[in-house]
């Protein structure tokens, strides 16, 4: 899927009243579920990615967003890094099976499932697109989180803010990769499915088509 046109000036279309209030900061825009079109905003900004998508996500259950992510995973010109919370992956499947659904082994893709560096949940809900746009807030990637629950989501247009956030997400990702490597090295690993919720897997199982 090629990058879709994305206009910072056009973000008002996702607000309930089609506009932001006067004197809004020029490089930060905030949206609130269920009033604003948070789902449409996320689709637009993810679809616009031409260079990279780097995300750290706690709740991941939006198949529309996952379809866009999967199209970027199949594009060798787009780097995709995903860090996902382990407690949300309680599906009865092994992490190897989960990762295969996202084409983890393809060029330019890196996906990890784990915990925070202090072995607690990885609760960040953040994505950085093309090293410029940083999306963060309380919104989990689910239709409930985007359309029914009271949630906030902000988009910042700043390469400096993106760089700071990227350093945090990269460290988290590195720790998760090392967690996974240590788990894989344990005796007996892989002989039985790891009890690692169906909610997490619905998006993963919706895609995973072979690359051509």
């Amino acid at each position: 899927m090629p990058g879709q046109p994305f206009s910072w000036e056009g973000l008002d279309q996702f607000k309930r009243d089609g506009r932001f209030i006067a004197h809004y900061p020029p490089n930060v825009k905030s949206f609130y579920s269920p009033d604003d079109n948070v789902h449409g905003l996320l689709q637009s900004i993810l679809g616009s990615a031409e260079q990279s998508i780097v995300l750290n996500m706690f709740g991941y259950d939006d198949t529309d967003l996952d379809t866009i992510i999967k199209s970027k995973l199949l594009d060798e010109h787009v780097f995709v890094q995903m860090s996902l919370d382990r407690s949300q992956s309680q599906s009865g499947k092994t992490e190897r099976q989960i990762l295969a659904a996202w084409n983890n082994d393809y060029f330019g893709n890196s996906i990890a499932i784990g915990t925070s560096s202090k072995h607690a949940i990885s609760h960040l809900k953040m994505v950085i697109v093309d090293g410029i746009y940083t999306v963060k807030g309380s919104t989990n990637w689910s239709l409930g989180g985007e359309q029914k629950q009271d949630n906030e989501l902000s988009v910042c247009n700043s390469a400096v803010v993106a760089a700071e956030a990227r350093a945090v997400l990269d460290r988290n990702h590195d720790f998760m990769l090392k967690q996974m490597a240590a788990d894989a090295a344990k005796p007996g690993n892989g002989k039985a499915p790891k009890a690692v919720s169906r909610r997490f897997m619905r998006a993963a199982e919706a895609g995973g088509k072979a690359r051509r």
Side-chain angles (χ1 to χ4, degrees), residues 16-186:
R16 177 191 62 192
D17 298 323
R19 64 181 180 84
F20 293 94
I21 62 174
H23 309 297
Y24 226 85
N27 67 338
V28 177
K29 305 298 181 185
S30 295
F31 302 83
Y32 297 89
S33 167
D35 292 337
D36 299 327
N37 183 9
V38 173
H39 181 68
L41 168 67
L42 287 170
Q43 286 181 300
S44 178
I45 197 166
L46 287 175
S48 75
E50 296 181 335
Q51 301 295 327
S52 62
I53 293 176
V54 176
L55 69 90
N56 195 131
M57 195 58 56
F58 178 70
Y60 188 105
D61 189 33
D62 185 328
T63 56
D64 291 338
L65 302 185
D66 188 62
T67 296
I68 298 172
I69 292 287
K70 284 193 170 76
S71 73
K72 304 301 180 178
L73 286 163
L74 293 172
D75 187 339
E76 64 181 7
H77 300 294
V78 179
F79 173 71
V80 180
Q81 177 177 298
M82 301 171 65
S83 305
L84 303 166
D85 178 67
R86 178 173 288 170
S87 70
Q88 294 294 297
S89 63
Q90 309 299 316
S91 66
K93 293 195 174 188
T94 65
E95 288 175 357
R96 183 186 299 274
Q97 290 172 306
I98 294 172
L99 294 178
W102 280 301
N103 304 297
N104 182 56
D105 294 330
Y106 289 166
F107 177 76
N109 298 345
S110 184
I111 303 170
I113 300 170
T115 68
S116 77
S117 61
K118 302 298 183 181
H119 303 285
I121 62 173
S122 183
H123 204 242
L124 282 174
K125 298 118 183 223
M126 180 181 293
V127 62
I128 305 165
V129 176
D130 287 344
I132 300 172
Y133 302 112
T134 303
V135 184
K136 55 186 176 179
S138 63
T139 307
N140 284 313
W141 282 12
S142 68
L143 292 183
E146 298 156 13
Q147 299 177 342
K148 296 180 180 180
Q149 300 169 6
D150 293 330
N151 278 313
E152 182 271 346
L153 184 141
S154 293
V155 186
C156 181
N157 181 352
S158 167
V160 174
V161 171
E164 179 186 43
R166 178 66 190 270
V168 174
L169 267 55
D170 283 356
R171 291 196 298 270
N172 293 351
H173 191 73
D174 176 69
F175 182 77
M176 289 185 183
L177 289 175
K178 289 172 178 173
Q179 271 189 311
M180 293 171 66
D183 289 344
K186 292 178 181 177

